[in-house]
Amino acid sequence: MNNKEFWFVVGSQFLYGPEVLETVAARAQEMVDTLNATGNLPCKLVYKVTAKTNQEITQVVREANYDERCCGVITWCHTFSPSKMWINGLVNLQKPYCHLATQYNLEIPNEEIDMDFMNLNQAAHGDREHGFIAARLRMPRKVIAGYWKDEEVQRRLGRWMRTALGVAFSKTLKVMRFGDNMREVAVTEGDKVEVQAQLGWQVNTWAVGDLVEVMNQVTEEEIDALMEVYRASYDIATDNLEAVRYQAREEIAMKKMLDAEGCMAFSNTFQDLHGMEQLPGLASQHLMAQGYGYGGEGDWKVSAMTAIMKAMGEHGNGASAFMEDYTYHLLPGNEYSLGAHMLEVCPSLAAGRARIETHPLGIGGKKDPARLVFEGKEGDAIVVSLIDMGGRLRLICQDIHCVRPIMEMPNLPVARVMWKAEPSLTTGVECWITAGGAHHTVLSYDVTAEQMKDWANIMGIEFVHITKDTTLEGLEQELFWNDIAWQLKGLR
Ligand code: MN
């Protein structure tokens, strides 16, 4: 994150004379310095140029595309910048693009305002000319309007920058699949070539036997060291320390393989654990707590999305986690979804300190795996599912509100999160199923639906949002029109 930056490009022209251009450049630098000092932006904003010609714009776009540090371009027009001179640059822009429609001054100065002031401060029409050309070119972009010193404007810009960081992360993401996905399951399948072309993910498989070999090389000292980390982070609520040490062995081995290949996401399945004594539970959970994405049953799509949403979140590892819709509480007026997984829920969701427990696993025929057990915290959140529609990808997002679980469930041996879904449990389920959303999701308290919409927009994939205002009829129409629109667009 420290070496990532965003570029501020201000549009103008020669019409106003050198003094105006000097003032514009000085103010642009002042705005960038002020914004960087607020702490509301996740990484550095760099003032690049007050662009006055086709050549300057083409040049800065070429540099932005080439420079790995640059994760996005933010434009603004203090004065009027005729936008035909932007065309040659913008058609080649490969980085996320945000138009900040702002103004240097907060107020119209009653006594002071004259035509000189008007010529210098004309963002109101400069930004419209600038906005037209991006609309005309059908460019994916974010438009944020408001006063640049306004804290909410700064926060929105910061969230968009985090989204763009998620784009950069996606484009270099490598996913390690330990074995294939669970037999016969449809929703965890997908076109890995298409996903790589569209989202950048390199999804490849490694043999479980190779993992077992690395596990066998893990030393007792390495396990001792990780056990200390477990003790510091979690309460150990089991006498079966051998099972916990075995999870540590699995974690160390998986981390070695992930890091050796530069992978930030992985998947495995209980059906393919040949040579392993336990399904990784605690091991996967503690890797997720360190920012790695994970998907159960070989679900590499949800694993990658988990890693991306973690990277978009606060400090690069916010409260975003692999989740599975498990069971409902259907009491009228008191309806809740219960989410969990057979083991692997990330402790970043935990309301308190997580406990390490060991329990038998009903499926898979392996030894009792150690796992983290906890309750999810309260708060507004989203659940997100990426599905392969055949020829295109669809990202489905639903607004939810997580509650402290309304009952103890003392015999449930896994981490659990309970929530109310929008617009209601039953309509929400009807919408989710109609859209084809998976039972696996990324649940996030941290990344917003607006960020996921922007991410999908930049990536050029379909986005479906289920909100408090969604009706089944409206959603069915939206999906119908989307199908036609995507066919017209071509299969990509
Ligand atoms: Mn599952």
Side-chain angles (χ1 to χ4, degrees), residues 226 229-230 233-234 251 282-290 372:
L226 186 52
V229 176
Y230 289 165
S233 312
Y234 313 118
E251 177 181 334
L282 169 62
S284 296
Q285 290 173 298
H286 193 245
L287 282 170
M288 279 187 271
Q290 295 164 69
L372 290 168

Side-chain angles (χ1 to χ4, degrees), residues 139-195:
M139 292 181 65
R141 62 176 162 160
K142 181 74 174 175
V143 182
I144 297 176
Y147 187 51
W148 57 286
K149 284 185 180 169
D150 181 271
E151 184 133 26
E152 185 48 28
V153 169
Q154 294 168 359
R155 291 225 169 93
R156 287 186 70 203
L157 188 62
R159 285 196 292 270
W160 177 81
M161 287 164 77
R162 287 185 184 283
T163 303
L165 292 171
V167 171
F169 184 89
S170 178
K171 290 196 170 166
T172 58
L173 178 61
K174 294 181 178 180
V175 184
M176 182 170 280
R177 304 168 69 224
F178 291 110
D180 207 329
N181 46 342
M182 183 182 165
R183 286 186 286 275
E184 305 290 355
V185 178
V187 80
T188 56
E189 298 285 356
D191 183 340
K192 297 194 278 291
V193 171
E194 180 62 23
V195 163

Side-chain angles (χ1 to χ4, degrees), residues 297 324 341 440:
E297 290 94 66
E324 180 168 82
H341 204 258
H440 285 166

Side-chain angles (χ1 to χ4, degrees), residues 296-297 322 324 326 341-342 344 439-440:
E297 290 94 66
F322 168 58
E324 180 168 82
Y326 239 104
H341 204 258
M342 57 184 162
E344 311 91 341
H439 57 283
H440 285 166

Side-chain angles (χ1 to χ4, degrees), residues 85-98:
M85 73 186 188
W86 287 75
I87 294 172
N88 301 61
L90 289 181
V91 291
N92 290 319
L93 180 62
Q94 294 165 353
K95 295 289 169 82
Y97 168 40
C98 175

